[in-house]
Amino acid sequence: MEDSEAVATLRGAGLRVTRPRQAVFTWLDDHPHATVDAIAGAVRRRLDSVSTQAIYDVLAALTTAGLVRRIELPGQPARFERRAGDNHHHVVCRRCGRTEDVDCVHGRAPCLDPSDHHGFTVDEAEVVFWGFCPDCCAAEPHHHEEMKK
């Protein structure tokens, strides 16, 4: 994504354009599922001095504006991605943490119908598929073949 596109998108969402917001938003375009530490490191390389708190503040503003999605996976730090506004899911490697998008099983939210919704109006389903990525399977093929049985 070019900086001019990021500026237009941020303004279109009603956000003030700042260098940290622009840097985070642009970097996430090519680095989905990034942690705060990864984002902060990349933004610091681009802008020199940016505090971790500033990165958290930027991510909160982008998430509230609906431009970024916060992903909270059990046992892992929060991750952030630009793919927001749809109800896609994730597949996560148990060994290395690699995370990839999985499109909604039935193509529209909420993807799954609960057996009992307890009176709730359900508008989203969050599904995480866990397993081993191709690289980790190649590193330990016998271990992962045993787990399939």
Side-chain angles (χ1 to χ4, degrees):
M1 165 174 278
E2 293 191 24
D3 287 341
S4 60
E5 292 175 83
V7 168
T9 303
L10 292 169
R11 285 188 179 144
L15 294 175
R16 189 169 50 90
V17 177
T18 64
R19 291 181 70 221
R21 284 180 180 171
Q22 188 174 348
V24 168
F25 190 69
T26 301
W27 190 79
L28 277 174
D29 196 42
D30 292 325
H31 303 90
H33 315 120
T35 63
V36 171
D37 289 342
I39 296 165
V43 170
R44 285 186 189 115
R45 286 190 293 281
R46 180 173 175 185
L47 301 180
D48 295 324
S49 178
V50 178
S51 71
T52 301
Q53 185 58 52
I55 299 299
Y56 276 106
D57 292 345
V58 166
L59 290 167
L62 295 175
T63 301
T64 299
L67 298 177
V68 168
R69 179 178 177 186
R70 179 185 174 109
I71 307 162
E72 296 187 48
L73 302 170
Q76 296 195 7
R79 296 174 180 269
F80 296 86
E81 66 180 343
R82 289 269 313 275
R83 187 175 172 185
D86 70 352
N87 189 211
H88 71 278
H89 309 300
H90 296 95
V91 60
V92 181
C93 181
R94 292 182 185 281
R95 184 171 188 209
C96 71
R98 175 178 162 186
T99 305
E100 298 292 341
D101 291 334
V102 175
D103 287 330
C104 192
V105 177
H106 295 286
R108 64 182 186 87
C111 300
L112 304 171
D113 293 317
S115 60
D116 185 352
H117 57 74
H118 300 279
F120 282 65
T121 299
V122 177
D123 65 357
E124 182 178 3
E126 190 168 312
V127 176
V128 178
F129 298 94
W130 295 89
F132 296 94
C133 72
D135 293 340
C136 290
C137 285
E140 291 186 44
H142 301 296
H143 173 72
H144 302 294
E145 287 302 317
E146 288 296 317
M147 292 190 73
K148 289 181 184 176
K149 294 180 180 179

